[in-house]
Every structure is written in structure tokens, then in C-alpha cells.
Amino acid sequence: MKPKVKAFFDDQTFTVSYVVHEDSSRACAIVDSVLDFDHASGQTGTSSADQIIAYVHAKDLKTEWILESHVHADHLSAAPYLQQELGGKIGIGHHIVEVQETFGKIFNEGTEFQRDGSQFDALFREGDSFHIGQMRGDVLHTPGHTPACLTYVIGDAAFVGDTLFMPDFGTARCDFPGGSSETLFASIQKILSLPDETRIFVGHDYKAPGRDEYAWETTVGEQKALNIHIGQGRSIEEFVEMRDARDATLSKPRLILPSLQVNMRAGQMPPADEQGDVFLKLPINKL
Ligand SMILES: [Fe+2]
């Protein structure tokens, strides 16, 4: 089955969100949405999410799933806003509980912050499947960038989140808490064992040396042949050495602190105070 895939690129965070649907049923899933956030002012906005809503309405689609590939560290999720406007269930990987444990400590969250994934409607495990209308989606657990990363395989389309990027850009960083380059290597092999013609939709694009346009769609066959970090049968030793050396040079994403606090709550803000005001924390020397 070849579902229709519409991409939405957010040039503030270099994130690609997707709407995937199958024509006969009109049912759709939304993958990795973005809530706009201005770090300097603390202002949120919905212009990115509103583009998705407009598309869903224009195509007369019924939203059944709002899927997260993982707890993003570089943008806030718009999942609750989309759910309020469009319906659908919010899903993420079952290993979210590990991420909640880690960041619950870092942000010194009280006992009211549940670390059991209960903020989400569905927690997927390796091998689980789900349906978007008549169309089946399969879940691969693909950790390494984070412990909870999933790849959603829907028909011939694989939504790989932050595991593989475009072949000329390579792979995702593995230096966040719970990340591991050895683990990412194994996860990528799992993705590359899908049929060569499988379409791969990546979670971010940053262009690449010699490329002036953003891009987000490739195939398993192209990744195997051309990926600069992992293509042509690169060994795990070579990959781990390259990945760890490169990660040591990277600074933290601009929105990591707000993103984690919100995304570990399925995109909800922390509880408001008695006045109804909402605050995010800025832990010092903790990351
Ligand atoms: Fe990520």
C-alpha cells in the first residue's frame, strides 16, 4: 500500500511534520507536529500546526492518530492542540517511561508528574501494529538517539524520526541522556532491512554541503548506498568512533529545556499556578 504523505517543514527548528492518509478511507495520522515557541519571550504560537489543520480540513480527512517518533529536544509538540482541534489519539514509544524518569529528576518534578506514560493515549512496543482506517501501521523500536525512539512503518512509508537523516547529512546525534551510538547503529540496521523501495521520511533536514534545498524523502536503497555515516556497509566500530567524535563537538539544541519539559508531558505545559500562570524551569548546570 502506498499512502499519500504530505510534509510540512518548520524552518525555525528544521523539523518535518507529516500527514499520512489513504484515499479510500479518508483516515489520517499526523507525525511529529510543532508548536511554535519564541524562546526569548516565552510566547507560543500555532501557525505551524494551523497549516496542518487547514490541510486536514481541505482534504476532508479524519484524524485517527497523532504520533510522536520520540520526546523531541529541539521543538515543542503541538499534539494537544491538534487533538483538541481534530481529535485522534496521541501515541509514543513505551520507553517514554525511562525518559520521564530521567528528566523528571533533572527538572526536579514533584510526585504529581506521573512517570508511567499516562499522559499519552497509546504506548507502543516493538512489533505492535495499529490502524489508520483500513491501513495498517507497524511499530519498530529504534532507540539510540533517545531510549524511546520509534519508527512507524505505514504501507511503503517509514517515518524514522531522528535516526537517519537524508543520505548526504547522515544520522542523528546520540549524546542526549540515554542515547547510544552502538544502539543507534543496530536500530538503523533494522530500518535498512526493510525493502529497498521503502520510502523513508526523516524528522529533520538541515540541508547539507553542496545542497541548497531542504529535503526529507529518500528510500532504504538510497540510504544503504549513499548515507555518509552508515552507507556501503560501514562497520559498527567506524560508525561509533565517527558518531561519538562528532557529538562531542555539538552544542545543545536551542529549545532543549522547554522542549523536554513539555514533550515529556505529551505536549502539555506544566500545571498552572493559583493565578493560572504557567512557568518552565531553567535548571542550572544539570544537562
Ligand atoms: Fe530528536
Side-chain angles (χ1 to χ4, degrees):
M1 184 177 293
K2 242 181 161 328
K4 294 247 167 37
V5 178
K6 170 74 176 170
F8 296 84
F9 186 74
D10 173 45
D11 62 5
Q12 295 300 302
T13 63
F14 310 99
T15 301
V16 198
S17 305
Y18 298 99
V19 177
V20 50
H21 83 272
E22 194 248 318
D23 265 339
S24 62
S25 71
R26 318 304 309 159
C28 77
I30 299 166
V31 182
D32 287 341
S33 63
V34 174
L35 183 74
D36 306 323
F37 185 73
D38 182 64
H39 196 273
S41 65
Q43 182 69 46
T44 62
T46 60
S47 64
S48 299
D50 288 335
Q51 289 177 39
I52 292 178
I53 292 169
Y55 174 81
V56 167
H57 287 322
K59 293 275 178 191
D60 194 23
L61 303 179
K62 179 173 174 293
T63 305
E64 297 197 343
W65 288 100
I66 298 168
L67 302 171
E68 300 286 354
S69 60
H70 63 296
V71 171
H72 309 280
D74 52 14
H75 67 274
L76 280 62
S77 167
Y81 175 67
L82 290 173
Q83 186 174 51
Q84 174 196 304
E85 298 297 314
L86 297 172
K89 288 190 276 192
I90 301 174
I92 199 167
H94 161 257
H95 288 267
I96 177 72
V97 296
E98 289 166 38
V99 177
Q100 290 178 326
E101 195 56 52
T102 301
F103 291 107
K105 282 203 187 87
I106 287 176
F107 290 106
N108 193 26
E109 300 293 349
T111 48
E112 73 277 9
F113 174 58
Q114 300 286 316
R115 289 136 164 102
D116 58 1
S118 56
Q119 301 87 346
F120 297 83
D121 301 310
L123 299 179
F124 295 117
R125 295 171 191 261
E126 166 78 18
D128 279 353
S129 62
F130 59 97
H131 283 84
I132 305 164
Q134 301 301 311
M135 187 165 57
R136 176 175 149 160
D138 290 291
V139 174
L140 304 180
H141 181 216
T142 48
H145 171 62
T146 80
C149 288
L150 297 184
T151 292
Y152 297 103
V153 183
I154 301 168
D156 76 329
F159 298 87
V160 300
D162 298 1
T163 53
L164 290 160
F165 293 132
M166 291 302 284
D168 57 3
F169 194 86
T171 57
R173 64 193 297 174
C174 297
D175 59 329
F176 295 152
S180 154
S181 51
E182 285 99 342
T183 306
L184 183 65
F185 184 89
S187 293
I188 289 173
Q189 302 312 313
K190 202 189 280 187
I191 295 168
L192 296 184
S193 70
L194 294 166
D196 276 0
E197 60 277 16
T198 306
R199 290 179 291 163
I200 286 186
F201 294 93
V202 301
H204 292 289
D205 188 58
Y206 308 93
K207 297 181 179 167
R211 173 157 62 85
D212 293 331
E213 308 253 296
Y214 291 111
W216 41 77
E217 179 178 348
T218 172
T219 65
V220 165
E222 280 177 4
Q223 292 284 14
K224 280 201 254 187
L226 301 173
N227 188 289
I228 58 165
H229 291 168
I230 204 125
Q232 298 178 356
R234 204 74 50 86
S235 72
I236 186 166
E237 292 79 13
E238 271 178 286
F239 174 73
V240 166
E241 193 184 328
M242 176 286 303
R243 190 66 263 174
D244 293 351
R246 185 171 156 78
D247 288 348
T249 69
L250 300 176
S251 49
K252 293 281 183 282
R254 187 167 52 94
L255 296 181
I256 187 168
L257 293 170
S259 298
L260 292 170
Q261 288 172 82
V262 170
N263 296 340
M264 72 182 184
R265 294 179 161 90
Q268 300 283 356
M269 292 288 164
D273 71 4
E274 314 80 62
Q275 274 79 47
D277 293 322
V278 173
F279 295 88
L280 292 171
K281 294 177 181 174
L282 187 67
I284 302 302
N285 300 330
K286 293 273 263 183
L287 265 193

